[in-house]
Amino acid sequence: MLEFYSSSTRVVDSKKAIAECLENALGGKENLDCDLIIFYTAMGHDFKDILTEAHRLSPNAQIVGCTCAGVIGKEGVSESMKALAIMAIRGENNEFAVASKEKITGSSSYEVAAQLAQDLKNKNSKINMIHFVASGIDIAADRAIEGMESIFGPDIPIFGATSSDNMKAISSFQFIGDQILERGAVAVGLADPRLEVITQANHGFVVAGMPLEVTRSESNRVFEIDGYPAWKRVTERLGLPETARLADTIPIGALAEELPGELHEEYGNTHILRVIAKKQMDGSIYMPVDCPEGTKLWLTKRDEKRIFDGLDRMVEQIVNRCGGRQPLAVFHADCGARGRLLFNRVLKDEIVSRMQYPLCKDEDVPWLGMYGFGEFARTGGRNRFHNYTTALYVIVKRNK
Amino acid sequence: MSVDRPTYDELKAKCEGLQQQITRFSVVEQDLVNTRDSLDRELARFKAIESFTKRAIHATSLREFAVITVESVIEAFEVECSALFTYDKAGNSLKVSAALGIGEFEAEYPLDMDWMAARGLLKEGACAFIEQPYPKDPWGSLGLCQVIYTPYYGNGGDLRGFVLGGRSARKQVYYDEIKEELIPSFTVFAQQMSTLLHKLESHEYLERRVREQTAELIAANAKLTKANEYLQREITERKRAEEALRESGKRLRAITNTATDAIVLMDNDGKISYWNSAAEKTFGYRSNEVLGKELHLFLAPQEFYDIYKKRFREFKKTGEGPAAGKTLELTAIKKDGTKFPIEVSVSSMEISGKWHAAGIIRDITKRKKMEEELFRVQKLESIGVLAGGIAHDFNNILMGIQGYASLMLMGIDSSHPHYDQLQGIKKQVQSGARLTSQLLGYARKGKYEVKPVSLNRLVEETSETFGRTRKEITIHRALHQDLFAIEADRGQIEQVLLNLYVNAAAAMPGGGSLILKTMNTTHEDIKGDVYDPKSGNCVLLTVTDTGIGMDKKTQKRIFEPFFTTKEMGRGTGLGLASVYGIIKAHSGYIDVESEKGHGTTFSIYFPATEKKVQKSDETTEQFIKETSTVLLVDDEEIILEVGKEMLEAVGYRVLTARSGKEAVEIYKKYSSKIDIILLDMIMPGMNGGEVYDRIKETNPDIKVLLSSGYSIDGQATEILERGCNAFIQKPFDMNELSGKIMEILEKK
């Protein structure tokens, strides 16, 4: 059975940082070898140094990872520019597979994701869950989900995040082996039939005001809202000048789509949020999912009470779904907007502890989390892409 | 009361107004969040500075301190990279002590001090600056788009270097701009760093001093340890040497005390300082009688005293002398006055820093006697070899004469005018044969037919015969009843006995007693240093006369051939010589004791045998004509000729061969016809022994009579032991030859 080990660090020297993570995760310098390393790194690290040193220390391990705006480990949160966190995995070769693809964009998301999934399947047909990280800049995440489901079917859990930079929304990077991809997608398929993953996401935002309507779009690129250039209309509604940066909009308010009524109870909200992934010089914006003309987008406002309540509710639901099973590992994706843009250090630490304590109690459960652009989690029995959420992916032994 | 319901537009306008208020509130809220975040970051920076202090204070080297500093700059100020520069006053340049996040950097960066001073960059006191690097900035070549830096100073206000944080052009889009709000905390950091650095430098200085002094102490300690070890080794070595010396002393005392040679030490004055047990035995003086006294007074005979003393002085002076480093034979004197030969070897040595002479002295009295005896024996041996050769050739000659005389006598009777002359020739030949027999006996080449015999019987027979001819001599026999048998040639032992009787009679011209005794004894009773008898039982025969006796000089020579005390023409000088040779050939031993006027006793020892004595064979006196075929083999033409005629005269058919090789060939050709081979033992080329072996291979039952005028000791016996039937001594007459051949053939 797959075994998981995790660690995170704020050490600024990239080689020292990965070495410290491996040593802390695997319990000493004597045996740093493992079979798979998944790492999340902030933008300040020297990526090449991390990969080289990881290969040197764990020569038999396959290595995958991506950039993010900060990391969350069992040691806590770090949004430092030199934050690093890893999940080291030991197991048989037939218990996992990794694959990657370059150049995933809004228009190619389905095809690229489908090819990626096919590669995974070719390597291991018994994959029963997929950890997926992909460029979060202009990806059409819902199309990417559809692409992967076209190979593995809709029942395969897809969990992970879109990678990010430090909320500058300029670019993000993905890693596999010794390759550094800029707009790529990386997937890890786990094929241990004794394991399953429980996923859930929650945001805690509240709808305010009347909806906006997409009046001109192509796939996930929106040119006009309410008949106006999209960026102009959004900043106007947010009370920001048109010259505002994308990052300036994120803490003020988020766009949202209404969920089908039957999902409100499970999701704990009537709407699912959509963050603007990128703005173009022509005033158009990239949404993380397809936005056909006529799509209604609501402005939502953060509500601290609802955020904390929603988090508690989600964790309680997961604990219930675990049914007493001890989590073997937890993957975690949080929206970058819920980091320093939204909460100070004290609140973030409280948020993390309100997740980790109920789930892990006093056990040393491996935990690998990041602040990214968006989160993949299942809602209503379907794989979905979320924004502004905290999404948890809890790996437990499958019930007999 | 009626209430006006707002219209949709009114509600929409209100909603939008509220929305705008919410937005404004949101902006305000975000400002608050941003302010909170700024405060968070500032707090984080100070926490990071505190963390830096905690880490840096434990730095054990300037290098480690520099690394901690640059890591802490990046962590605290969220900058991409950092470097710590050290100012090199002599070179007016900066050197990188540590850097992180900066790709490549130079070994040193020149400083334009005037330019920097003009810009106020070198003001004393911590002050941070933020700027885009100018080309004249030392870090202008590092590829940074923005830096924050501050100089740091030593305790004396001297510029020590710069600490710098920066962001590169490469990653500037991801890194926040370095803002002036960082200056206060960066300044605090630099001050903290400077203070810690001073402490570390002081600490490092102290540590270095401690290290140096510790190293000195360690080195001194190492020297002491080494010296101590050396002393320990020295002590151990000395103890070991003392122990070895004691052991050596013990061994030396043991050796010197058990040595059979006298060991004597003399001091500078020639006085005795050591005297071992053997010296006591050799000279008869106890050590307390001689220690401290001059050696020569005790040991040198009076006539040699001056010479010995002179030689000692020379040896002391030069280390040279006839006995220095080699052996010298001298004459010494015992306590009882007896003079005796010694062998001396002298060497000098230092004992406790004083000169000593060590003398090893061996009493060689016994050895001298042995040497004399050995010399005598060797002389007898060499004469014996010569005598043996003469006897061999002489026998061959006699064989021819005797053969022809016998042949001629066969054809005539006593009335023939030449009969008496021929008989005379035959007698002379027999007389000559006896002489050669004596010679062969002496030469120990005549031990022909060895059989177990009774010495008592031989003594009785010979003494009775002898007694009948010498009535003036009374013979006394004291023969042991159960005397061991001996293995001997009967004829030769008879010759020994008769020679001894004749010798005794010669010593008693007016008559006297001849006392013959036999007894059983062992080898241990045999006396004489030159003999090494085989251990076991022996038979002792003593022949004592009451004659005139001999002096010592005569006793020494009596066994020499041709030595005689008889008047010219009365003795051959071979009698006792042949006795000696025959006894030796029988592995026996003869000794003589005599005193002038008191008679002589010969003691003869023979090794005893457990074999039974055989009865003597009777021989026929008449010729028996035979018709068998004899192969006669001899390299001497005359022997072949006369032998052939003799054999044919008694009726044998004869084939002859002149060599061993020819004999083998003839036998192969006529083997079915040849009944017996008369084979000469000594021949050139293939000798008798080889011929016998070759023919034996063809016919294992072949009859062979071996003949020789000369028998190499043991060779005839060996051939007989291999199966050869009998041996006949040249010269032989018709009767002897016929008898031997008939004896062999009859055993068919």
Side-chain angles (χ1 to χ4, degrees):
Chain A
M1 189 159 72
L2 293 169
E3 293 173 353
F4 301 85
Y5 311 88
S6 78
S7 181
S8 63
T9 182
R10 293 167 61 91
V11 167
V12 296
D13 185 301
S14 302
K15 286 187 177 179
K16 285 185 189 173
I18 186 68
E20 184 184 292
C21 280
L22 284 167
E23 284 169 22
N24 289 344
L26 295 168
K29 291 180 179 177
E30 290 71 26
N31 183 13
L32 296 183
D33 214 354
C34 57
D35 301 295
L36 175 63
I37 297 169
I38 301 170
F39 74 93
Y40 303 151
T41 175
M43 290 298 290
H45 268 305
D46 186 318
F47 310 140
K48 199 173 176 184
D49 276 357
I50 290 176
L51 292 171
T52 305
E53 190 69 355
H55 279 302
R56 188 181 72 79
L57 297 173
S58 300
N60 295 313
Q62 298 197 59
I63 300 172
V64 295
C66 67
T67 55
C68 59
V71 299
I72 307 150
K74 58 190 177 187
E75 298 84 2
V77 174
S78 173
E79 289 177 277
S80 149
M81 282 293 279
K82 303 268 189 178
L84 177 69
I86 69 160
M87 182 74 81
I89 300 172
R90 285 179 176 147
E92 300 299 325
N93 281 339
N94 61 359
E95 290 177 329
F96 66 91
V98 299
S100 68
K101 287 290 168 193
E102 291 184 272
K103 294 177 183 171
I104 188 165
T105 62
S107 57
S108 68
S109 294
Y110 180 92
E111 291 76 16
V112 171
Q115 288 166 11
L116 182 72
Q118 188 62 59
D119 283 357
L120 275 185
K121 195 162 190 174
N122 289 344
K123 289 178 182 175
N124 193 326
S125 61
K126 295 189 177 171
I127 286 168
N128 56 9
M129 60 181 87
I130 296 171
H131 175 53
F132 179 60
V133 290
S135 168
I137 303 303
D138 57 0
I139 186 177
D142 54 343
R143 295 289 292 151
I145 289 169
E146 286 168 19
M148 283 192 283
E149 286 178 345
S150 71
I151 303 301
F152 282 100
D155 293 332
I156 189 158
I158 297 168
F159 62 96
T162 49
S163 59
S164 70
D165 52 23
N166 52 332
M167 299 311 289
K168 303 279 193 231
I170 297 165
S171 189
S172 69
F173 299 89
Q174 303 77 40
F175 315 106
I176 182 162
D178 54 3
Q179 289 184 75
I180 301 171
L181 313 175
E182 190 168 354
R183 287 175 184 243
V186 171
V188 178
L190 302 183
D192 187 336
R194 294 159 292 188
L195 302 181
E196 65 172 311
V197 61
I198 297 166
T199 74
Q200 190 133 354
N202 185 272
H203 56 75
F205 276 48
V206 62
V207 170
M210 303 297 286
L212 305 169
E213 187 177 336
V214 174
T215 49
R216 187 161 74 88
S217 68
E218 277 179 14
S219 184
N220 63 331
R221 186 174 183 180
V222 178
F223 292 96
E224 288 179 5
I225 295 174
D226 293 342
Y228 296 96
W231 181 247
K232 183 177 185 301
R233 180 61 181 149
V234 170
T235 51
E236 184 184 78
R237 280 293 300 269
L238 290 174
L240 294 172
E242 198 179 337
T243 53
R245 296 170 304 154
L246 185 60
D248 296 332
T249 68
I250 289 170
I252 306 295
L255 296 172
E257 282 184 83
E258 189 173 16
L259 277 171
E262 65 271 21
L263 298 180
H264 292 180
E265 175 62 23
E266 179 193 336
Y267 197 49
N269 211 303
T270 55
H271 289 74
I272 186 167
L273 304 186
R274 303 297 182 204
V275 72
I276 299 168
K278 192 178 179 182
K279 72 164 180 136
Q280 296 293 83
M281 295 298 286
D282 62 2
S284 64
I285 57 173
Y286 278 93
M287 297 301 284
V289 294
D290 264 5
C291 279
E293 290 166 9
T295 302
K296 291 201 181 324
L297 297 171
W298 274 262
L299 274 174
T300 58
K301 187 75 190 75
R302 65 186 171 199
D303 184 322
E304 274 193 20
K305 187 172 183 313
R306 288 194 68 160
I307 287 172
F308 278 93
D309 288 348
L311 196 66
D312 291 341
R313 186 171 172 274
M314 178 182 76
V315 171
E316 190 182 339
Q317 282 178 321
I318 293 172
V319 169
N320 288 338
R321 287 169 69 183
C322 285
R325 288 173 293 174
Q326 175 71 35
L328 301 174
V330 177
F331 287 86
H332 174 186
D334 229 300
C335 180
R338 295 165 72 98
R340 64 164 49 133
L341 295 179
L342 209 55
F343 301 114
N344 66 5
R345 184 185 296 268
V346 176
L347 284 178
K348 278 183 292 197
D349 285 345
E350 188 181 338
I351 288 169
V352 170
S353 65
R354 282 170 83 156
M355 289 185 280
Q356 290 184 340
Y357 181 73
L359 276 171
C360 310
K361 305 295 184 194
D362 291 324
E363 295 298 321
D364 182 17
V365 177
W367 191 291
L368 175 65
M370 71 169 188
Y371 289 106
F373 279 139
E375 304 78 48
F376 295 96
R378 289 175 78 81
T379 303
R382 277 184 55 197
N383 291 306
R384 289 178 194 273
F385 183 67
H386 308 261
N387 281 120
Y388 285 95
T389 63
T390 286
L392 292 176
Y393 319 114
V394 180
I395 293 176
V396 290
K397 280 187 184 173
R398 187 181 289 279
N399 280 323
K400 287 181 180 175
Chain B
M1 195 173 79
S2 65
V3 178
D4 292 335
R5 294 183 64 184
T7 62
Y8 173 78
D9 290 337
E10 285 172 343
L11 282 172
K12 191 179 176 189
K14 233 178 201 175
C15 183
E16 283 181 355
L18 283 170
Q19 181 68 45
Q20 284 169 5
Q21 277 192 340
I22 290 168
T23 302
R24 281 195 292 277
F25 280 131
S26 293
V27 172
V28 171
E29 188 186 16
Q30 189 56 44
D31 281 344
L32 285 171
V33 168
N34 290 344
T35 304
R36 195 170 58 187
D37 184 52
S38 292
L39 287 170
D40 266 356
R41 288 180 182 224
E42 189 68 13
L43 183 65
R45 277 194 286 277
F46 279 99
K47 279 189 176 178
I49 291 169
E50 186 189 2
S51 171
F52 160 68
T53 306
K54 285 179 183 171
R55 283 179 69 196
I57 206 163
H58 292 113
T60 54
S61 66
L62 287 171
R63 168 71 191 156
E64 188 186 353
F65 179 85
V67 170
I68 292 170
T69 300
V70 295
E71 287 179 354
S72 298
V73 166
I74 290 171
E75 187 184 339
F77 302 102
E78 290 277 309
V79 289
E80 185 188 350
C81 55
S82 174
L84 180 68
F85 295 94
T86 306
Y87 176 55
D88 175 18
K89 197 174 179 182
N92 192 35
S93 61
L94 295 177
K95 287 180 179 170
V96 176
S97 297
L100 186 63
I102 296 170
E104 291 180 356
F105 44 81
E106 305 294 329
E108 56 182 46
Y109 296 91
L111 272 185
D112 187 339
M113 295 296 276
D114 294 339
W115 180 82
M116 294 190 83
R119 296 180 64 225
L121 300 178
L122 300 174
K123 278 192 291 187
E124 187 172 342
C127 183
F129 305 93
I130 296 171
E131 62 182 28
Q132 288 183 326
Y134 290 89
K136 284 200 171 187
D137 278 341
W139 31 85
S141 61
L142 292 177
L144 305 177
C145 63
Q146 196 185 20
V147 291
I148 181 169
Y149 66 94
T150 182
Y152 62 94
Y153 296 86
N155 274 336
D158 53 316
L159 178 66
R160 297 291 306 280
F162 291 87
V163 59
L164 169 147
R167 59 178 183 138
S168 67
R170 187 168 56 94
K171 278 194 172 177
Q172 66 175 313
V173 292
Y174 300 111
Y175 275 89
D176 290 334
E177 188 181 349
I178 299 170
K179 293 178 179 168
E180 290 196 350
E181 66 188 36
L182 292 184
I183 288 176
S185 51
F186 200 83
T187 304
V188 168
F189 180 90
Q191 284 173 338
Q192 194 70 12
M193 184 209 80
S194 206
T195 306
L196 288 168
L197 183 60
H198 297 155
K199 279 186 182 172
L200 178 65
E201 285 176 337
S202 305
H203 182 67
E204 194 163 75
Y205 172 76
L206 285 173
E207 284 229 324
R208 194 168 62 242
R209 286 296 303 137
V210 169
R211 275 200 302 275
E212 285 168 3
Q213 288 187 352
T214 305
E216 284 169 15
L217 280 172
I218 288 169
N221 190 42
K223 277 184 185 171
L224 276 173
T225 306
K226 209 170 175 182
N228 193 34
E229 284 171 0
Y230 176 77
L231 283 172
Q232 286 288 349
R233 274 203 306 275
E234 190 80 353
I235 290 165
T236 309
E237 282 297 317
R238 285 194 178 196
K239 279 184 179 171
R240 198 177 295 145
E242 282 170 12
E243 185 60 29
L245 205 60
R246 273 198 293 277
E247 278 299 312
S248 173
K250 273 188 199 171
R251 282 199 294 271
L252 200 62
R253 277 194 296 281
I255 290 165
T256 54
N257 284 329
T258 54
T260 53
D261 290 342
I263 299 171
V264 181
L265 285 184
M266 284 164 287
D267 64 15
N268 201 34
D269 300 322
K271 289 178 178 169
I272 297 166
S273 58
Y274 180 76
W275 185 258
N276 75 340
S277 304
E280 290 183 347
K281 285 178 195 161
T282 304
F283 294 98
Y285 292 102
R286 304 282 300 169
S287 61
N288 55 5
E289 295 176 86
V290 296
L291 286 176
K293 293 177 181 168
E294 212 167 324
L295 179 73
H296 309 111
L297 294 172
F298 286 90
L299 310 183
Q302 187 66 39
E303 62 269 33
F304 298 125
Y305 179 79
D306 289 338
I307 297 171
Y308 289 180
K309 196 165 184 179
K310 188 183 169 196
R311 282 182 180 169
F312 177 74
R313 280 201 301 270
E314 283 172 5
F315 175 67
K316 195 170 70 173
K317 193 175 173 185
T318 65
E320 301 286 332
K326 46 188 180 283
T327 55
L328 177 68
E329 289 183 8
L330 298 172
T331 302
I333 189 163
K334 296 190 182 194
K335 188 179 180 182
D336 62 8
T338 310
K339 289 180 184 175
F340 68 107
I342 59 169
E343 188 178 72
V344 181
S345 173
V346 183
S347 57
S348 63
M349 62 181 70
E350 260 193 28
I351 300 172
S352 303
K354 290 182 179 171
W355 184 91
H356 279 76
I360 296 173
I361 303 164
R362 180 172 295 172
D363 180 351
I364 56 171
T365 307
K366 209 170 177 182
R367 196 181 81 191
K368 280 283 176 192
K369 279 185 184 168
M370 283 171 69
E371 281 174 0
E372 282 174 19
E373 181 70 9
L374 194 63
F375 176 73
R376 196 172 64 82
V377 169
Q378 284 171 346
K379 189 166 81 175
L380 296 178
E381 290 274 349
S382 58
I383 296 167
V385 171
L386 183 66
I390 292 166
H392 170 261
D393 293 345
F394 200 58
N395 272 346
N396 277 335
I397 294 163
L398 291 177
M399 180 68 222
I401 297 168
Q402 171 141 322
Y404 284 121
S406 293
L407 286 169
M408 287 170 78
L409 281 169
M410 274 187 77
I412 59 174
D413 56 27
S414 56
S415 61
H416 192 279
H418 293 152
Y419 182 82
D420 288 339
Q421 289 91 328
L422 286 171
Q423 283 293 353
I425 290 169
K426 201 175 169 184
K427 277 184 185 175
Q428 287 304 311
V429 168
Q430 282 166 352
S431 176
R434 275 197 297 277
L435 192 60
T436 57
S437 179
Q438 298 273 38
L439 274 174
L440 284 172
Y442 169 69
R444 286 181 269 154
K445 308 294 183 190
K447 189 178 138 191
Y448 308 127
E449 286 185 282
V450 177
K451 292 176 183 172
V453 295
S454 165
L455 186 61
N456 279 350
R457 188 176 164 190
L458 290 175
V459 170
E460 280 169 356
E461 287 173 2
T462 52
S463 61
E464 273 179 22
T465 308
F466 181 74
R468 282 197 291 272
T469 59
R470 297 296 178 98
K471 300 294 183 190
E472 72 279 15
I473 292 170
T474 308
I475 298 174
H476 304 275
R477 301 183 194 91
L479 307 180
H480 192 276
Q481 287 303 305
D482 298 314
L483 193 68
F484 299 135
I486 61 169
E487 283 192 278
D489 180 278
R490 182 190 174 92
Q492 292 208 336
I493 299 302
E494 284 172 353
Q495 187 181 328
V496 166
L497 292 171
L498 286 171
N499 276 331
L500 289 173
Y501 302 158
V502 169
N503 203 66
M508 298 182 290
S513 295
L514 177 64
I515 304 147
L516 306 173
K517 287 183 184 174
T518 59
M519 66 180 74
N520 290 331
T521 182
T522 69
H523 70 282
E524 289 171 356
D525 291 334
I526 300 173
K527 295 182 177 68
D529 295 325
V530 293
Y531 299 105
D532 184 21
K534 284 184 183 174
S535 58
N537 290 327
C538 294
V539 172
L540 170 62
L541 164 69
T542 58
V543 179
T544 307
D545 66 61
T546 54
I548 54 175
M550 293 176 274
D551 57 17
K552 292 286 176 192
K553 195 175 174 184
T554 306
Q555 281 177 47
K556 281 183 182 177
R557 300 194 63 192
I558 55 169
F559 296 119
E560 289 180 18
F562 312 113
F563 173 79
T564 179
T565 56
K566 294 170 188 168
E567 60 192 79
M568 186 65 74
R570 293 293 303 273
T572 61
L574 287 171
L576 286 177
S578 69
V579 166
Y580 180 88
I582 289 165
I583 289 168
K584 282 287 163 196
H586 284 78
S587 303
Y589 165 63
I590 184 166
D591 196 14
V592 60
E593 283 182 41
S594 182
E595 202 175 334
K596 200 84 175 166
H598 290 90
T600 300
T601 297
F602 287 94
S603 299
I604 302 159
Y605 296 84
F606 290 107
T609 180
E610 291 178 355
K611 292 179 184 172
K612 297 290 180 191
V613 176
Q614 295 171 352
K615 286 185 180 177
S616 60
D617 300 323
E618 298 298 328
T619 56
T620 178
E621 291 292 328
Q622 64 183 49
F623 305 139
I624 300 167
K625 294 235 177 185
E626 288 292 334
T627 54
S628 300
T629 301
V630 178
L631 171 60
L632 175 60
V633 187
D634 206 303
D635 60 313
E636 293 284 344
E637 192 63 37
I638 187 72
I639 302 294
L640 279 181
E641 204 174 298
V642 74
K644 185 171 185 289
E645 284 190 38
M646 284 168 75
L647 287 166
E648 284 173 347
V650 292
Y652 291 102
R653 288 187 293 272
V654 179
L655 297 170
T656 58
R658 285 167 182 77
S659 67
K661 192 180 171 188
E662 190 181 353
V664 172
E665 286 167 0
I666 290 171
Y667 186 78
K668 277 183 183 171
K669 200 170 177 182
Y670 303 106
S671 59
S672 61
K673 293 178 180 174
I674 296 169
D675 298 297
I676 189 167
I677 301 170
L678 180 57
L679 179 62
D680 185 30
M681 198 172 72
I682 304 300
M683 290 184 290
M686 192 184 290
N687 64 27
E690 287 175 86
V691 174
Y692 174 76
D693 293 337
R694 295 283 293 275
I695 291 174
K696 191 87 176 170
E697 283 172 13
T698 310
N699 178 11
D701 297 324
I702 185 65
K703 305 292 179 188
V704 178
L705 174 61
L706 200 61
S707 76
S708 183
Y710 175 93
S711 173
I712 294 171
D713 187 26
Q715 192 173 339
T717 309
E718 279 177 19
I719 298 169
L720 289 167
E721 281 172 357
R722 295 211 293 272
C724 187
N725 300 80
F727 180 85
I728 189 165
Q729 172 74 60
K730 293 176 187 173
F732 46 78
D733 60 16
M734 297 271 286
N735 197 31
E736 279 178 294
L737 179 63
S738 173
K740 283 280 181 188
I741 291 176
M742 216 159 65
E743 181 190 331
I744 294 166
L745 291 175
E746 277 179 351
K747 285 182 183 172
K748 210 180 272 186

